[in-house]
Amino acid sequence: MNSISRQALILFSLIGLMGQSFETTVEAADNKRATKGKAWKPLKGAEFKVYKPTEQGDLHLNIFKPKDWKAGDSRPAIVFFFGGGWTGGSPSQFEPHCKHLASKGMVACAAEYRIKSKHKTTPFECVADGKSAVRWIRQHAAELGIDPNRIVAGGGSAGGHVAACTGTVVGFEESNENQNISSAPNAMALFNPVVDTTETGWKGGPRQLGERCKEISPIHFIRKDLPPTIIFHGTADTTVLFENVERFTKQMKENGNRCELVGYKDQGHGFFNLSKNKANYDSTIEKLDAFLTSLGYLNQK
């Protein structure tokens, strides 16, 4: 090969590399613009704060504070993660729960987290975002007027899975965050949650996660000293079978953990949502209040 041919080859290689780099940059920018264009809107009456910047866009918490909140408070807090199969959904799902608990004296948050439809991400990012949200809340306890040792993670369906993972699953901590601040909640409130993502549990787990399905399967991380937990689940749920949470509850108790399972006879998936059934919503809220009161997170009245 003569010198002219070598120079031409080098030139074409450089052009190719520049093209690949340009395509990657454009794709990332397009993804970010697409996410921004269909971003979730702040919930009415909530403070809207970024808890995590990501390549796909900023993630926010909708923060509802009690009317008598003041700087220097040390209130209990709760963060809810919406359902949607790790693919869809909206923080507005738990807006009623947040407003109710704020009226009872808690600082209540409805979290955004990355999902496939908006961010082209996987369930593993969902879990990492859930841990980041709990850590951010604890890290900003003084600013939020909360007690860093009274933080609850809650959620429904896939959001219940995210919440359960924050209290059970090991790993999926963001390397750029302060690892000295725990990402684990002090209690969990789970609504028809996915607790087993392997072949013995929710069938969507193995389909989406493949050989990695055990990595974010809460039931496979049960051990001593996990957060006290309450689970609300319909006995007729065909999406996440009741047997899954029965098994989870049994193993939690066998390891000395507090875990209460409240079954709703003949109720299916999503039975607890206010938009679906007010009676079920009221019932689960009443029992959630009792659970939080027993932990000293709400005052008895």
Side-chain angles (χ1 to χ4, degrees):
M1 183 183 293
N2 58 36
S3 61
I4 295 176
S5 298
R6 282 197 297 271
Q7 290 174 2
L9 181 60
I10 292 170
L11 178 60
F12 282 124
S13 298
L14 287 172
I15 290 172
L17 287 171
M18 290 172 64
Q20 290 176 8
S21 176
F22 177 75
E23 287 174 3
T24 302
T25 304
V26 169
E27 182 180 5
D30 285 345
N31 286 341
K32 192 165 186 177
R33 280 196 294 271
T35 302
K36 186 176 181 181
K38 54 182 178 180
W40 289 293
K41 295 180 180 179
L43 300 181
K44 187 176 181 180
E47 294 180 13
F48 198 56
K49 293 198 172 186
V50 175
Y51 76 88
K52 183 176 185 178
T54 75
E55 292 180 0
Q56 296 83 12
D58 291 341
L59 299 177
H60 299 82
L61 290 175
N62 294 272
I63 304 169
F64 294 85
K65 293 178 178 177
K67 288 183 179 179
D68 61 347
W69 180 95
K70 61 184 183 300
D73 281 352
S74 184
R75 297 173 181 267
I78 188 166
V79 55
F80 286 103
F81 302 97
F82 59 85
W86 305 314
T87 298
S90 167
S92 62
Q93 178 184 15
F94 283 97
E95 182 177 356
H97 298 76
C98 286
K99 289 182 174 178
H100 167 77
L101 291 171
S103 76
K104 293 284 189 175
M106 294 185 75
V107 173
C109 308
E112 299 176 351
Y113 64 92
R114 285 173 290 178
I115 53 176
K116 185 177 180 180
S117 63
K118 282 181 177 289
H119 308 100
K120 313 302 181 189
T121 47
T122 73
F124 300 107
E125 283 79 28
C126 300
V127 173
D129 292 344
K131 291 186 173 230
S132 294
V134 174
R135 175 176 285 118
W136 188 93
I137 291 169
R138 182 168 284 119
Q139 186 172 5
H140 292 81
E143 172 191 337
L144 296 171
I146 67 163
D147 181 349
N149 297 312
R150 290 192 294 168
I151 299 174
V152 185
S157 192
H161 168 262
V162 172
C165 285
T166 65
T168 58
V169 169
V170 176
F172 298 94
E173 313 281 355
E174 299 289 16
S175 60
N176 63 341
E177 295 177 359
N178 186 349
Q179 305 297 311
N180 293 321
I181 299 173
S182 174
S183 64
N186 304 101
M188 298 189 291
L190 312 176
F191 297 78
N192 51 234
V194 175
V195 293
D196 184 350
T197 55
T198 71
E199 61 281 350
T200 59
W202 181 56
K203 303 309 178 187
R207 284 198 298 269
Q208 295 192 53
L209 305 174
E211 294 181 355
R212 298 184 64 190
C213 61
K214 277 188 180 180
E215 291 183 28
I216 53 172
S217 183
I219 200 168
H220 290 87
F221 289 86
I222 292 177
R223 56 196 181 277
K224 292 181 179 179
D225 300 321
L226 292 182
T229 303
I230 189 167
I231 303 173
F232 303 99
H233 212 101
T235 63
D237 194 331
T238 56
T239 303
V240 181
L241 299 182
F242 191 66
E243 180 276 334
N244 287 195
V245 290
E246 286 184 308
R247 190 158 34 92
F248 181 87
T249 301
K250 180 175 182 289
Q251 291 186 29
M252 283 282 281
K253 290 180 176 178
E254 287 174 350
N255 279 270
N257 301 305
R258 177 180 174 182
C259 188
E260 299 177 21
L261 173 57
V262 185
Y264 280 77
K265 186 175 174 57
D266 298 327
Q267 296 302 303
H269 202 64
F271 73 96
F272 63 90
N273 287 300
L274 177 59
S275 60
K276 191 167 186 175
N277 188 309
K278 186 176 186 303
N280 284 340
Y281 167 80
D282 289 341
S283 174
T284 54
I285 280 290
E286 180 182 358
K287 291 177 173 61
L288 176 60
D289 284 357
F291 173 72
L292 295 173
T293 299
S294 73
L295 297 176
Y297 289 19
L298 293 180
N299 294 324
Q300 289 181 317
K301 292 185 179 180

